[in-house]
Amino acid sequence: MSRVTPAAPPRPVARAPVWWAAAALLFGAAFGTNVFTPLLSLYRAHLHLSATDVNAIFGVYALGLAPSLLLGGPASDRYGRLRVLVPAVVVTGAASLIFLLGADSTVLLYVARFVQGLASGAAFSVGSAWLQDVVGATFAIAAARRA
């Protein structure tokens, strides 16, 4: 007679590495978005920009951010969180490179800031959703209360 052994209970899924990955991607996007701000005064002096130009370059970010925040979530629901988040974070890095190239071009500063808004909106909306997916509703509610 053969003896049947019961199946081992399922092991809990290790969520810490995924949580850290989601947080690291969000941090990278947020850091890349904000690194530009202190450089505005340098760009203003170097390119002889007016206060209006500096404010407009800073504000162009919102023109890219708004549609990206609205479209990033549905895109990640359809294609998957990582398929939207990783390219968005990569594009925030590309926007930083455009800023480097824009040291002598006002037009490139506008382009870089707009691209940064597009990428950041997708990264923030999708990254936040993914982070909530990973930690679960219980931890998300606790984190919101502590914030």
Side-chain angles (χ1 to χ4, degrees):
M1 177 160 93
S2 67
R3 186 174 172 152
V4 176
T5 57
R11 291 183 169 185
V13 177
R15 291 183 175 217
V18 176
W19 179 87
W20 281 105
L25 287 171
L26 275 171
F27 176 80
F31 182 78
T33 298
N34 292 308
V35 164
F36 163 76
T37 305
L39 296 175
L40 273 175
S41 61
L42 295 174
Y43 285 131
R44 181 177 183 183
H46 180 72
L47 296 173
H48 307 288
L49 300 173
S50 68
T52 303
D53 283 332
V54 172
N55 288 332
I57 290 169
F58 196 77
V60 162
Y61 173 81
L63 295 176
L65 183 72
S68 185
L69 284 171
L70 294 173
L71 300 174
S76 74
D77 290 341
R78 183 173 183 166
Y79 302 111
R81 306 277 193 239
L82 283 177
R83 287 186 177 173
V84 177
L85 179 61
V86 171
V89 173
V90 169
V91 172
T92 60
S96 296
L97 292 176
I98 297 171
F99 278 119
L100 291 175
L101 298 172
D104 294 320
S105 170
T106 306
V107 173
L108 281 179
L109 294 178
Y110 279 99
V111 170
R113 193 67 175 156
F114 180 77
V115 169
Q116 195 174 51
L118 283 174
S120 298
F124 297 151
S125 63
V126 176
S128 299
W130 184 37
L131 195 55
Q132 186 171 349
D133 291 347
V134 170
V135 299
T138 303
F139 292 113
I141 292 168
R145 285 185 184 149
R146 291 181 184 139

